[in-house]
Amino acid sequence: MSDKPTLRTVAAAAGVSIATVSYVLSGHPRSQAISETTARRVRDTANQLGYRRNDAARAIRTGKSDLVLLSLSVLADPWAQAVAAEVSAAVTPLGKTALIVADGDWRTVLSNRTPDVIFIDHVADDPELVADLERFAERGVQIVAFSEVLEPRGFDVIRSGAEPRCHLAVEHLLERHTRVGALTSRTEGFPRFDAYLNTMTAAGLPIGPVATFEPHPEGAYRAARALLTQPDRPSALYCTTDFAAIAAIRVAHRLHLDVPGDLAVIGVGNTPEGEHYDPSLSTVGPVGFNEALGGIIVDRLSTREGAPGEVFDFPWQLIVRESSSPAS
């Protein structure tokens, strides 16, 4: 006989039923009715005994892969890294593995495997893409898509209300500055940059200087350096991502500019890295988004099958920290 521990072995050692062990270790909806003390005892016992589920057999029996895929467009973005860390921490205790799909290539991945849940950080308002989302949802893939415009059609949609709030960042800088520049990944058809243009125009102030960057931190660093070494550098800088704002602060420090004394900086996104940077980064963004996303994905692992999809709205707000507000 094999000495390999089974559900029965774990149940006997933990002093609970086999069903309780099964519910806890699979993340079954009924596990929510089990006390955290009991659930922890089951998990600890399973770890001590070296219990491992037969995932291959389970996948054949249930159709579950135990994979949570994260389709992240810019892996170097601190926001994407924070999302990956939070989701991984949320699903690992349920026996799931979080895998990252780089460069938003989620259609290719879904054509070859069926994860339990996939989070897609950007879906364009393209009829062909939406049709693909609906098709994969009909196949049983639990999809959580980030989009300001899509409607749920068998998949869930997360909205942030980002564009209407980005003007708050520019207005905040205009409280103390009239020469406000911008560091942006693009200028055409980009609501985050449009917020800068519209707010400056409404205030009757000149646009610029403006620098565009390649969508990664070092590209932002190079663009910020080019902008801040100009003779007419701004006294305040609006950046369309937090990682660009952090890059601008790095450049400012390299140029011996005080932040915020010589240069006030604000970003977009409210990433954990920005909050803990020195100086802490002012930003506009949702509060508690990563934790909430982890909770949504955990819920979709067990309770969403057959649902029409929902909209989860995370309105953004202005968060003023040290990088734009001189100490009083």
Side-chain angles (χ1 to χ4, degrees):
M1 294 182 61
S2 172
D3 292 331
K4 183 178 180 180
T6 64
L7 286 177
R8 185 181 300 278
T9 309
V10 176
V16 297
S17 68
I18 295 175
T20 295
V21 174
S22 177
Y23 293 153
V24 169
L25 298 183
S26 67
H28 191 281
R30 292 186 182 180
S31 66
Q32 298 174 8
I34 299 171
S35 72
E36 179 56 32
T37 300
T38 299
R40 187 182 301 111
R41 184 167 74 252
V42 168
R43 290 191 290 267
D44 289 346
T45 302
N47 288 334
Q48 292 167 5
L49 294 176
Y51 172 79
R52 297 290 183 273
R53 294 178 303 171
N54 187 335
D55 290 335
R58 181 176 180 272
I60 294 173
R61 184 177 70 255
T62 67
K64 299 293 186 180
S65 66
D66 283 340
L67 292 178
V68 173
L69 297 186
L70 304 173
S71 177
L72 303 174
S73 301
V74 183
L75 298 185
D77 188 338
W79 178 84
Q81 295 169 10
V83 164
E86 185 67 37
V87 171
S88 180
V91 304
T92 297
L94 302 178
K96 312 295 182 180
T97 300
L99 295 180
I100 295 175
V101 181
D103 301 322
D105 192 20
W106 53 269
R107 287 193 291 181
T108 299
V109 175
L110 291 183
S111 296
N112 294 295
R113 67 196 315 171
T114 303
D116 292 351
V117 179
I118 181 170
F119 168 68
I120 306 171
D121 73 351
H122 175 72
V123 179
D125 186 17
D126 179 297
E128 183 178 341
L129 290 178
V130 175
D132 281 341
L133 285 177
E134 292 184 74
R135 179 166 56 87
F136 288 124
E138 289 173 356
R139 274 177 32 189
V141 180
Q142 312 303 311
I143 301 170
V144 181
F146 198 118
S147 171
E148 301 293 348
V149 297
L150 294 185
E151 295 295 332
R153 299 177 184 175
F155 52 86
D156 295 308
V157 175
I158 288 181
R159 294 181 184 148
S160 67
E163 283 70 30
R165 295 292 179 176
C166 285
H167 73 279
L168 296 177
V170 185
E171 291 174 353
H172 168 65
L173 295 178
L174 290 177
E175 291 174 2
R176 292 186 174 91
H177 304 270
T178 57
R179 186 158 181 75
V180 178
L183 189 60
T184 179
S185 58
R186 61 187 192 274
T187 58
E188 298 295 328
F190 188 27
R192 294 187 183 187
F193 183 68
D194 291 342
Y196 166 75
L197 292 178
N198 296 337
T199 305
M200 295 295 289
T201 300
L205 294 171
I207 302 299
V210 174
T212 57
F213 61 86
E214 299 169 25
H216 53 74
E218 289 313 304
Y221 182 91
R222 290 192 293 269
R225 184 172 179 82
L227 188 152
L228 294 178
T229 53
Q230 295 179 15
D232 61 344
R233 67 169 175 81
S235 63
L237 190 59
Y238 165 73
C239 306
T240 57
T241 65
D242 272 6
F243 75 73
I246 291 171
I249 294 174
R250 288 171 53 207
V251 171
H253 288 165
R254 185 71 178 267
L255 298 176
H256 305 293
L257 298 174
D258 178 71
V259 178
D262 298 318
L263 179 71
V265 179
I266 195 166
V268 173
N270 191 27
T271 61
E273 182 176 1
E275 180 180 3
H276 301 297
Y277 203 70
D278 184 18
S280 58
L281 181 65
S282 295
T283 187
V284 287
V287 175
F289 173 81
N290 293 340
E291 297 85 349
L293 175 62
I296 291 169
I297 289 177
V298 166
D299 184 62
R300 275 19 187 182
L301 284 169
S302 57
T303 64
R304 188 192 169 280
E305 292 189 13
E310 296 182 38
V311 171
F312 297 90
D313 196 3
F314 294 89
W316 285 25
Q317 58 187 276
L318 174 66
I319 301 154
V320 177
R321 299 192 183 111
E322 296 169 339
S323 68
S324 67
S325 182
S328 55

